[in-house]
Amino acid sequence: MAGNKASRAREDKVKKRKRDANENETTSKRYRKQTRDTDANGNEARTPHRLDQEKANHETPVGALSCFRPQEIIRQSDDGEAGWRVSKPMGGRMLDIDPILTQNEQYLILTYNTSLQIYNASDSLLVRRIPITTLDTSASKGSTPAHIVGTRLSKSNPHIVWVACSDGNIYCVNWSHGDIPSPAFKTTSCTAKALAVVPAAYADNKEILLVAESDKPSRMEVVAYQSCVGSTPKSKGLLTLNKSGYGLRILETSEDGQVIVGAFQDRLFLGTVSRNSESLDQLQYEIFSFDSPDVITSIDLRLHARSSGDRKGHMGMEKAVDVIVGGARGGIYVYHDALSHVKAAGNPQFVKAGIEVQKYHWHRKAVHAVKWSIDGNYFISGGSENVLVIWQVDTGKKDFLPHLSGSIENIVVSPSGSSYILHLDDNSAMILSTAEMKPTAYIAGIQSAAIDVSEPKDMLVRRVWIVPEHVRRPIPAAIRPSEPSKLHVCVGNGRQATLSGNLSAPLLQTFDLESFTSISKQALARTQPTDVNLSNKGHPIDEPLVTNIEFSGDGRWLATVDDWKPSPSDVENISADLRDQFIRERHEVYLKFWEVRDGAESMELVSRINAPHSTTCSESVLDLASDPTSNCFATIGSDGIVRLWRPRPRQHNGIAMKDAKGQDTMSWGCTQVIGVGDGTGIDNGADLINPTRHIEVQGRVAFSEDGSTLFAAFGAVDSGVVYVIDVASAQIVKTLEELWDGNLRSIRALRSFVIVLSSDLRVYDVVGDELQYGIVVPKLYGITELHQLAVDHTSGHFAVTLPIGGVSSLGIFDPDDPEPLLVRSTPHRIVSLVSAPGTSGFIALDDAAQVWVIAEGSDPSSLATVQPLQDLQLADVSGSVNTDMVTGEGPTDAMDVASEDGMDDAREAGDDVDMDGGGEDEDDEDDEDDDDDSGAYNRVISQHCLTEIFDASPAFAAPSIEDMFYKVTELLVTKPLAEQ
């Protein structure tokens, strides 16, 4: 069969094999002209080759996954109404930057890797997301996202936030309006490491930005810039430090800008304004620097008035400066009246003689954050122990707030001193009341494993363990069929606990993609978040790894597999010939079944199967699949056995047991066993369970759409077979050879096709008994374990992601055609790829904790409800903030409800939405005047009324935007009860 694609100049020959009596015979099914031409992207086409020849020559066929080059777009619709498209990224990871509590303590500003997100401090709801350095799939080739290094509130305008990025761009962001900002200016060195803002004494409503710049690891320079937008600012260098080694660059200032303090590696510097300046050129600080006892990881300063007795020996210095420093080895150092001591000890620039210091020590590793209390009688510290420590300065007495959900990264004391703001490394933040030490607000993003944008503070001192640079394996994730807007993803106890060991992720987080808030988090395996999780030799103690999660077809059940093995550090004292056997004997594998009830906060563990696959010891569960039509799960183990699991009533002495509601309780067990171990490619008679000859095997399983057939791929590396199993009879009805080769990554069934992703991608027509097409996966550098495949039964398409260096290529395919419908490159690696049952589209999660939605614009059942507003291409609804808020004259009822993250932000905008009958956002006073003139009245719509409209049905069954609009207007025109 031959065909000609007129829509593309490049033509290719795709191998399509008919299975017959002669299994070795192949027939080419598709041909294209063998001419050297250009494709749709202007790339020169090559002469096509057969699939086997391509693999032998390590070449990539044209028109296939060779399209997986960064930023290349094929058949992409630009109008947003038809064709496949990729949304802007949503979410992200909170950075190691102090949160900002606004002047009236009403809103909390958190810094993410690519955005600022503003939350209501009273109800923890997201108000607005302002992208800063976001790169989407349309970014130029080779682009890498710059990360934010500093965020500071303006001294002259409480609605302005200054943001510094690692590439030297400085942004001026009006957080109350939410407009997408452009860089205000760029630093001279095109770098930035830290940022501070001080008021300009020579002009009202102006300020000076102090930027710590560093173009070399051994150099740091503090440069002052006069604030400006859209033009090259005036600048002046204030300090230059040179010191070999590596470490952090920290910069802090007093509220009035008269004192600055900072750190470069283990060198501490502090200074004060030497004279009153009338311009930036005259600005001058008298700066002293000296070496501290440890590498500095955190710093804070406090200015306080001297007592009358202390003033006699310090003429001209009415205020004392107390500096507190956290070290990389756990020590905390307090320098009382530091400026007076350094002035007495030596000359400016460098003080050789040490000055008096008071030391405190409790933390085992680095002190991530340390802050003074308002009165100076206490200071607060936090580190990797998941404990907040409150120190009494005079006595050294300590109080603790233990059992936090992650390591403490940042601490902020509110201006009034009534609360502490904590940022934890599990991508969460909370506001604690200082009186009761109870949280008044809690915010959590997606808490999956993510890469570090900066060096972890604990790694500034050499450890026996290392933190990997990348996420090394796919993160299990799933979507419950009855709740397509909620993403369930495996997470760990904070970033350090996740990455320091064997990527432990024993928790399941439920995340609502519509409101973009964390719903719950539950342990699937044993955890030790607040115990001493280091061995006596300093190695991390690994928690079990959840390898697979799957929901049943009706969403009532969840099956999970967790796996644990002793780490190599645990078997160092065992002889090499017995080491593998020792690890295999202590291998723990559990298959667990959970009951998921609507409205319940947690799932209930119903059955736990110890060693579901075993020989002489526990065998790994290679894959888990769910029957979309019934309550049945399938597992395949390294023992070469496929097992089917189904529920059955739980009985005691032959009597069915009932739960509290009078319903039959269920337990799960194996109902069918199918052996597929003959396809390993090993000689007959080989002992697979011989511990002296351990064979690495691979296996994957997938159900057909109607649940009647199970496809099981099993075999050794470079050799394997796909078995077609009739589920009803548990009989192997057919074997498909040569469908996968090399490292097996995934197998999926879509319509009449079975799709296998390994060293190549092959689509096989089971009904026609022929290979539809095969595509060689390019041998690109990247983590091959992150090759992922997902199918969308609603639209009939499938998606493939491939890691390429630090990015991922994403492709959408039709099983009938080898030409991809869409190829895009994301600026981060995709670590999870899932589809929502009953809904069209895919959800991708990257290693920056960002969510990408891939949907077909022409499909009304697509995942459009979880996409940002700008990707929906609705009418521009650019609201404005209440005038009272902008002018700072009074509180506002609601902030701008039209944000980048979609209509759901409108529901989260505040407690009540104040809207007038005229449909315009006006000042409250103006509204009252309008009421007097026109007789109209203001309406206050409570949040639960909006919730009943927007959350009345799941995403796939939601009414149209027009219907929801009319429902909202009905609330506006209905008279209050008092007037009826």
Side-chain angles (χ1 to χ4, degrees):
M1 181 179 71
N4 189 357
K5 295 279 185 182
S7 62
R8 298 180 56 85
R10 181 183 62 193
E11 296 188 283
D12 189 18
K13 178 173 65 178
V14 181
K15 180 182 175 184
K16 188 174 183 183
R17 181 171 64 89
K18 178 74 175 178
R19 295 179 59 89
D20 53 20
N22 185 2
E23 292 292 328
N24 295 324
E25 181 181 353
T26 60
T27 303
S28 181
K29 290 290 183 180
R30 298 190 180 204
Y31 298 89
R32 300 226 171 99
K33 290 191 305 181
Q34 299 184 14
T35 59
R36 296 183 66 88
D37 206 341
T38 58
D39 59 16
N41 297 286
N43 301 314
E44 189 179 74
R46 297 177 299 172
T47 303
H49 299 277
R50 293 177 56 186
L51 181 64
D52 294 338
Q53 293 174 343
E54 289 282 359
K55 294 177 64 177
N57 297 330
H58 300 287
E59 297 180 359
T60 304
V62 178
L65 288 192
S66 59
C67 301
F68 277 77
R69 290 186 291 269
Q71 317 307 335
E72 184 171 319
I73 305 172
I74 298 178
R75 293 189 190 172
Q76 168 66 8
S77 173
D78 294 328
D79 58 8
E81 296 179 356
W84 286 85
R85 52 197 173 90
V86 183
S87 73
K88 303 290 182 182
M90 296 175 287
R93 195 81 185 183
M94 298 179 192
L95 295 182
D96 184 9
I97 296 175
D98 285 350
I100 297 175
L101 196 62
T102 59
Q103 195 173 38
N104 54 7
E105 300 187 13
Q106 186 177 2
Y107 298 100
L108 180 65
I109 303 176
L110 299 177
T111 306
Y112 286 73
N113 47 359
T114 59
S115 66
L116 296 183
Q117 297 192 19
I118 295 90
Y119 294 85
N120 194 315
S122 60
D123 54 20
S124 310
L125 297 179
L126 176 65
V127 175
R128 179 174 296 109
R129 178 181 185 269
I130 305 175
I132 302 295
T133 62
T134 300
L135 281 184
D136 56 24
T137 57
S138 62
S140 61
K141 182 177 180 179
S143 300
T144 55
H147 61 275
I148 301 173
V149 298
T151 305
R152 299 286 183 176
L153 197 63
S154 170
K155 301 294 184 181
S156 59
N157 188 340
H159 303 289
I160 296 296
V161 171
W162 292 98
V163 179
C165 296
S166 57
D167 57 0
N169 280 320
I170 309 297
Y171 294 81
C172 180
V173 181
N174 189 323
W175 63 267
S176 60
H177 280 284
D179 297 330
I180 300 178
S182 299
F185 64 90
K186 197 163 189 174
T187 61
T188 305
S189 65
C190 297
T191 65
K193 301 296 182 181
L195 173 69
V197 179
V198 299
Y202 53 83
D204 295 335
N205 299 325
K206 287 190 177 181
E207 48 200 356
I208 297 173
L209 276 63
L210 304 181
V211 182
E213 305 178 24
S214 178
D215 53 1
K216 298 179 181 179
S218 59
R219 176 184 173 88
M220 173 183 174
E221 185 176 6
V222 178
V223 183
Y225 294 89
Q226 184 170 301
S227 60
C228 69
V229 177
S231 61
T232 303
K234 296 181 179 179
S235 63
K236 180 180 181 180
L238 301 179
L239 172 68
T240 300
L241 292 176
N242 293 281
K243 189 176 181 64
S244 58
Y246 65 95
L248 301 179
R249 295 154 182 85
I250 306 173
L251 188 61
E252 297 287 344
T253 67
S254 60
E255 190 67 23
D256 58 5
Q258 295 297 305
V259 179
I260 64 172
V261 61
F264 176 44
Q265 300 178 19
D266 62 347
R267 181 166 294 178
L268 180 68
F269 63 87
L270 66 158
T272 183
V273 174
S274 58
R275 62 177 181 177
N276 294 329
S277 57
E278 297 181 356
S279 66
L280 180 66
D281 296 335
Q282 297 180 3
L283 178 65
Q284 186 173 351
Y285 282 88
E286 185 181 16
I287 300 178
F288 302 83
S289 66
F290 56 92
D291 291 337
S292 67
D294 198 358
V295 176
I296 299 174
T297 56
S298 54
I299 196 170
D300 192 29
L301 78 159
R302 171 179 173 264
L303 267 68
H304 60 92
R306 298 179 183 276
S307 61
S308 58
D310 293 337
R311 296 180 184 178
K312 297 180 181 180
H314 304 278
M315 299 300 297
M317 297 182 64
E318 297 294 331
K319 291 187 176 181
V321 180
D322 294 342
V323 178
I324 188 168
V325 169
R329 295 174 176 83
I332 299 176
Y333 306 91
V334 177
Y335 299 89
H336 293 285
D337 199 4
L339 266 178
S340 297
H341 286 89
V342 295
K343 285 185 176 182
N347 296 322
Q349 295 300 318
F350 186 69
V351 179
K352 295 183 178 180
I355 64 174
E356 183 180 352
V357 60
Q358 187 175 1
K359 182 180 179 181
Y360 302 83
H361 201 147
W362 179 84
H363 296 280
R364 297 192 301 268
K365 290 182 284 188
V367 181
H368 295 174
V370 61
K371 286 292 190 295
W372 286 108
S373 65
I374 296 296
D375 57 10
N377 295 326
Y378 299 87
F379 62 86
I380 309 97
S381 66
S384 58
E385 300 83 9
N386 298 19
V387 177
L388 181 69
V389 187
I390 303 173
W391 305 74
Q392 193 174 31
V393 176
D394 294 337
T395 64
K397 181 182 177 181
K398 300 178 290 292
D399 288 326
F400 303 96
L401 180 63
H403 308 297
L404 298 176
S405 60
S407 300
I408 297 176
E409 291 294 321
N410 303 96
I411 301 173
V412 173
V413 181
S414 66
S416 63
S418 62
S419 59
Y420 301 139
I421 300 94
L422 305 184
H423 162 221
L424 308 179
D425 79 334
D426 66 345
N427 207 24
S428 69
M430 67 175 68
I431 300 178
L432 293 173
S433 65
T434 56
E436 299 178 351
M437 295 305 290
K438 293 183 178 180
T440 59
Y442 178 75
I443 299 161
I446 295 180
Q447 299 173 336
S448 60
I451 58 174
D452 291 305
V453 298
S454 60
E455 182 78 8
K457 293 177 180 178
D458 288 342
M459 300 306 297
L460 295 177
V461 175
R462 186 175 180 179
R463 309 285 179 182
V464 297
W465 48 272
I466 60 174
V467 176
E469 297 180 357
H470 306 290
V471 180
R472 296 160 292 182
R473 55 169 57 92
I475 295 176
I479 294 179
R480 189 183 177 194
S482 57
E483 296 179 318
S485 65
K486 292 181 173 58
L487 176 67
H488 302 263
V489 59
C490 290
V491 301
N493 292 296
R495 182 186 61 196
Q496 295 186 22
T498 301
L499 292 178
S500 61
N502 191 28
L503 191 63
S504 299
L507 307 175
L508 184 70
Q509 182 188 21
T510 301
F511 196 86
D512 191 341
L513 295 173
E514 289 187 342
S515 61
F516 225 79
T517 56
S518 179
I519 303 300
S520 62
K521 192 164 60 173
Q522 179 173 351
L524 298 180
R526 67 173 184 270
T527 62
Q528 48 205 28
T530 59
D531 296 336
V532 178
N533 52 6
L534 293 177
S535 66
N536 55 3
K537 294 184 179 180
H539 295 283
I541 300 175
D542 290 335
E543 296 168 331
L545 174 67
V546 177
T547 58
N548 301 91
I549 61 172
E550 289 287 343
F551 282 98
S552 61
D554 59 2
R556 181 185 174 187
W557 305 97
L558 174 70
T560 64
V561 177
D562 59 89
D563 190 294
W564 181 85
K565 292 180 180 179
S567 63
S569 61
D570 295 334
V571 295
E572 292 177 349
N573 298 329
I574 300 176
S575 59
D577 55 340
L578 298 177
R579 192 168 299 166
D580 290 341
Q581 181 179 355
F582 178 86
I583 293 177
R584 284 171 56 83
E585 290 177 351
R586 284 156 179 79
H587 187 193
E588 297 180 6
V589 183
Y590 298 107
L591 173 64
K592 298 176 182 178
F593 297 95
W594 309 77
E595 185 176 8
V596 187
R597 295 183 178 178
D598 294 334
E601 296 183 357
S602 60
M603 302 174 298
E604 179 182 354
L605 179 61
V606 174
S607 299
R608 189 187 79 174
I609 313 299
N610 300 343
H613 293 263
S614 62
T615 51
T616 57
C617 55
S618 297
E619 298 288 343
S620 298
V621 175
L622 302 177
D623 199 13
L624 170 70
S626 171
D627 185 347
T629 62
S630 67
N631 292 329
C632 176
F633 293 95
T635 60
I636 184 170
S638 56
D639 57 349
I641 299 295
V642 174
R643 295 179 180 269
L644 299 181
W645 308 84
R646 293 184 174 90
R648 54 196 175 193
R650 189 187 301 271
Q651 295 183 349
H652 180 69
N653 296 330
I655 301 175
M657 299 178 64
K658 304 290 184 178
D659 59 13
K661 295 183 179 181
Q663 299 178 352
D664 292 342
T665 59
M666 309 296 289
S667 64
W668 284 74
C670 180
T671 58
Q672 292 169 304
V673 177
I674 306 103
V676 295
D678 294 337
T680 59
I682 306 170
D683 295 338
N684 292 334
D687 188 1
L688 294 181
I689 62 174
N690 185 354
T692 62
R693 187 192 176 192
H694 180 61
I695 305 298
E696 292 292 338
V697 294
Q698 303 178 95
R700 296 290 187 269
V701 288
F703 280 94
S704 62
E705 290 188 45
D706 60 2
S708 63
T709 305
L710 179 67
F711 299 95
F714 185 79
V717 177
D718 297 328
S719 177
V721 178
V722 175
Y723 297 87
V724 183
I725 303 172
D726 180 74
V727 175
S729 63
Q731 297 296 317
I732 299 174
V733 297
K734 185 184 294 186
T735 59
L736 307 177
E737 299 180 356
E738 301 180 8
L739 279 191
W740 61 276
D741 194 9
N743 294 318
L744 178 63
R745 297 303 172 203
S746 183
I747 181 173
R748 292 290 186 268
L750 181 62
R751 304 202 312 256
S752 62
F753 304 96
V754 59
I755 306 163
V756 184
L757 177 62
S758 58
S759 296
D760 48 43
L761 175 68
R762 304 193 186 189
V763 179
Y764 189 85
D765 187 349
V766 180
V767 176
D769 198 18
E770 62 181 1
L771 181 68
Q772 189 75 3
Y773 56 83
I775 299 172
V776 173
V777 176
K779 297 183 180 297
L780 302 170
Y781 62 100
I783 303 177
T784 59
E785 289 80 2
L786 293 180
H787 292 183
Q788 297 184 76
L789 168 68
V791 296
D792 178 7
H793 295 295
T794 303
S795 68
H797 297 86
F798 66 91
V800 178
T801 62
L802 305 176
I804 305 175
V807 303
S808 278
S809 277
L810 169 70
I812 304 296
F813 287 85
D814 188 321
D816 291 314
D817 192 346
E819 299 292 344
L821 302 176
L822 169 72
V823 175
R824 286 289 187 93
S825 180
T826 60
H828 300 277
R829 287 192 179 98
I830 300 297
V831 294
S832 291
L833 181 67
V834 297
S835 60
T839 306
S840 174
F842 302 91
I843 294 177
L845 175 67
D846 64 20
D847 60 3
Q850 296 181 128
V851 171
W852 305 75
V853 177
I854 307 98
E856 190 175 12
S858 60
D859 190 346
S861 67
S862 65
L863 287 162
T865 54
V866 296
Q867 296 188 39
L869 183 62
Q870 62 189 49
D871 280 348
L872 292 177
Q873 296 196 355
L874 301 175
D876 183 18
V877 188
S878 56
S880 60
V881 183
N882 189 291
T883 308
D884 286 342
M885 163 165 277
V886 176
T887 59
E889 297 175 356
T892 180
D893 291 325
M895 298 191 66
D896 177 12
V897 297
S899 70
E900 189 217 22
D901 278 337
M903 290 189 60
D904 298 292
D905 289 347
R907 304 199 303 270
E908 312 294 347
D911 293 332
D912 294 316
V913 179
D914 190 352
M915 307 178 69
D916 63 8
E920 298 179 356
D921 295 331
E922 300 287 346
D923 185 271
D924 291 340
E925 297 178 358
D926 294 336
D927 286 343
E928 294 176 0
D929 295 338
D930 292 342
D931 294 343
D932 294 338
D933 295 337
S934 62
Y937 52 85
N938 279 350
R939 294 301 318 280
V940 177
I941 303 175
S942 61
Q943 187 177 359
H944 78 274
C945 293
L946 295 177
T947 302
E948 290 178 354
I949 295 176
F950 293 109
D951 293 342
S953 58
F956 65 87
S960 65
I961 300 298
E962 183 180 3
D963 292 339
M964 289 190 286
F965 170 77
Y966 285 119
K967 290 182 180 180
V968 174
T969 57
E970 288 177 2
L971 296 177
L972 295 175
V973 299
T974 303
K975 293 183 178 181
L977 294 175
E979 299 183 16
Q980 291 181 349

